[in-house]
Amino acid sequence: MVVRGRQVVKLLAEGADAFRRIGEGLVVLIYHRVGRRAPIDTDLPVDLFAEQIAFLAEKTNVVTLDEGLRAIESRTSDESSKVAITFDDGTADFVDAALPVLVRHRVPAMLYLATAFVEYQRPFPNGGRPISWSAVRDAHSTGLVSVGSHTHSHALLDRLPPSEVDHELDRSIELIEGELGVAAAHFAYPKALPGSPLAERSVRARFRSAALAGTRVNEYGATDPYCLARSPVQASDGMKWFVRKARGGLALEDSIRRLVNRRRLRHSDT
C-alpha cells in the first residue's frame, strides 16, 4: 500500500507539471543513503545510484553548490539549468558506496554533516552507521566533496530556545573547521524544515546558503540563497521519476510530503 501510494503521488505530480512553468536555474538534489542496507525509501541500491550519477554526468550540467549559487546570484537569464548534488546526515555509506561512483564520473557533491553523530559515533535511525572524521577527510581530499553543516545533533531549529540554536550551529562549525581546516560555508535544515525567525537570522549570520525542501528549480536571479529548494531522491523514483526531478519536476510530490511530515514531526525535536 505504501509503495502504491508513492507511485500515485508521483503520477499526480507528473500531471501537475504540465500546468506549471519550469524555468532555468539550479536543481539541487538530496541524497541520504546508498547501499540499500535499510528498508527505507531514502536508501538507494548502488546500481540505481550509479545509473543516476552516470545520467547526470552525461546529460546535465553538474556543478558544485558554490558554482550553482554564483549562477543564481549573477541574475543571468541565458544560462541553461545546472544540477548540484547534496548528501544529508553523514552515514558511512557515503564513502563506502557513493564516493567511488562520484569519483568515477568526476561528479562533485556537498556533504551536510550532523556533527554529533560523527564526533561521538552515534548511530543514525534505521541502522545508519556514522562516517568517521578520517573518512570525511579522505572524501574531502578528492577535491570533489565539500562539507557543510546539518546542525550538531540534527535538531529541528524551530523547536529550540535561542541559546540552543546558536550552540547547534556554532558547535557544528567548530568541529568541521577543526577537523578539516575549512570553513563550513553552507547549511541544510534538518528534515528540510525551516527554523523560527530567530533561527533563520542565526543561520544567515553564519553561512552563505541554507537549504530546505521544494522539489523545484532555483531560478536564476529570483532565488534567495537561504531558501534553496532541494529535490529528495528516493529508491521508488527509479530512473523515470529521477529524470523528472533532475529537470526540476514533481513539485506537487514535495507539497504533499511536507504536509505529511509536519504532522508526523509535530512532537519531535530531531
Side-chain angles (χ1 to χ4, degrees):
M1 287 295 292
V2 173
V3 173
R4 177 173 291 184
R6 289 186 184 126
Q7 296 302 312
V8 168
V9 170
K10 292 178 194 298
L11 283 167
L12 290 171
E14 179 184 22
D17 283 348
F19 298 96
R20 72 182 185 97
R21 172 185 169 273
I22 300 178
E24 300 292 343
L26 177 68
V27 175
V28 185
L29 301 174
I30 315 174
Y31 285 96
H32 285 83
R33 301 187 193 178
V34 178
R36 206 58 182 166
R37 295 174 176 86
I40 53 177
D41 206 25
T42 51
D43 193 342
L44 275 65
V46 174
D47 289 349
L48 176 59
F49 177 73
E51 188 177 2
Q52 291 176 352
I53 297 302
F55 168 81
L56 294 175
E58 295 168 10
K59 302 295 185 181
T60 72
N61 184 8
V62 185
V63 298
T64 66
L65 185 62
D66 280 298
E67 290 169 330
L69 286 167
R70 284 194 290 271
I72 287 172
E73 294 165 350
S74 70
R75 299 185 179 275
T76 301
S77 60
D78 58 353
E79 291 193 57
S80 61
S81 285
K82 297 174 171 58
V83 178
I85 296 170
T86 66
F87 279 78
D88 280 7
D89 298 338
T91 48
D93 53 87
F94 176 77
V95 290
D96 296 341
L99 186 59
V101 177
L102 297 173
V103 170
R104 185 185 318 143
H105 294 282
R106 304 305 299 169
V107 167
M110 168 64 68
L111 175 61
Y112 291 112
L113 289 180
T115 50
F117 294 83
V118 185
E119 180 73 1
Y120 304 116
Q121 288 298 284
R122 182 185 302 168
F124 287 94
N126 298 297
R129 183 166 56 92
I131 195 171
S132 66
W133 283 119
S134 62
V136 176
R137 287 191 289 271
D138 287 344
H140 185 256
S141 72
T142 65
L144 293 171
V145 178
S146 302
V147 179
S149 170
H150 200 36
T151 72
H152 184 52
S153 66
H154 202 270
L156 302 182
L157 296 187
D158 62 336
R159 319 290 164 92
L160 298 182
S163 60
E164 291 185 33
V165 169
D166 289 344
H167 172 74
E168 283 288 330
L169 302 178
D170 291 338
R171 185 57 179 145
S172 71
I173 291 169
E174 290 167 2
L175 284 168
I176 291 168
E177 292 184 353
E179 294 289 343
L180 302 181
V182 298
H186 304 286
F187 178 76
Y189 285 94
K191 303 294 185 184
L193 296 174
S196 63
L198 183 143
E200 182 182 350
R201 289 195 295 271
S202 294
V203 167
R204 286 177 180 266
R206 290 165 171 79
F207 302 99
R208 187 185 166 210
S209 74
L212 294 162
T215 312
R216 63 179 183 274
V217 173
N218 296 284
E219 295 193 13
Y220 298 135
T223 297
D224 182 346
Y226 292 94
C227 298
L228 282 179
R230 293 195 296 164
S231 304
V233 181
Q234 304 161 315
S236 58
D237 290 331
M239 282 303 295
K240 175 185 177 181
W241 306 114
F242 171 78
V243 169
R244 285 195 166 272
K245 287 183 177 180
R247 292 173 176 161
L250 301 191
L252 179 63
E253 181 190 49
D254 177 76
S255 298
I256 295 171
R257 181 188 303 111
R258 278 191 285 175
L259 178 61
V260 171
N261 282 346
R262 274 292 183 188
R263 293 176 177 175
R264 181 172 60 86
L265 299 170
R266 185 173 299 161
H267 303 294
S268 176
D269 293 324
T270 61

